Amino acid sequence: MFELNHIIPASTVDAEEMSLREVLASAGYAVAKLTLTSLAQQVVAERVKAKVVDLSIPLIAAMHEGQADGSVRVRFVFETDDAQSLAAMYLA
């Protein structure tokens, strides 16, 4: 098994959080009372996972974890070195 760690910067998470706030506010939610950081982290991580899947790169697993600095670490596990290399090249 071959692992690849991909870091999504906190600025990307912040931008997604603002987008979520705008959407929810326009739907009438009181967004000032909501904590959306973990949802924003999940959304950006799922987007990165979807990109790898859309490229038909064989993937065993993909997990994400929010980091203390607000970024997100996505850990991919691939069956082959070639799959890991393709994903690393695409995500660079």
Side-chain angles (χ1 to χ4, degrees):
M1 292 194 298
F2 298 86
E3 291 188 14
L4 172 66
N5 287 303
H6 179 71
I7 302 296
I8 302 167
S11 59
T12 302
V13 175
D14 292 343
E16 184 61 37
E17 187 174 353
M18 292 302 297
S19 178
L20 289 169
R21 285 190 181 286
E22 290 171 6
V23 168
L24 291 171
S26 70
Y29 287 92
V31 293
K33 297 178 182 180
L34 299 176
T35 303
L36 299 173
T37 304
S38 61
L39 179 58
Q41 289 175 333
Q42 182 175 353
V43 169
V44 297
E46 292 298 332
R47 276 196 198 121
V48 170
K49 293 175 195 178
K51 287 178 184 178
V52 171
V53 171
D54 287 347
L55 290 170
S56 300
I57 298 173
L59 179 64
I60 294 174
M63 297 136 292
H64 71 275
E65 176 181 34
Q67 303 297 295
D69 65 357
S71 64
V72 180
R73 179 175 65 101
V74 182
R75 186 171 66 95
F76 294 98
V77 180
F78 300 97
E79 202 167 296
T80 66
D81 182 43
D82 288 343
Q84 188 254 13
S85 297
L86 280 171
M89 184 176 64
Y90 179 76
L91 296 174

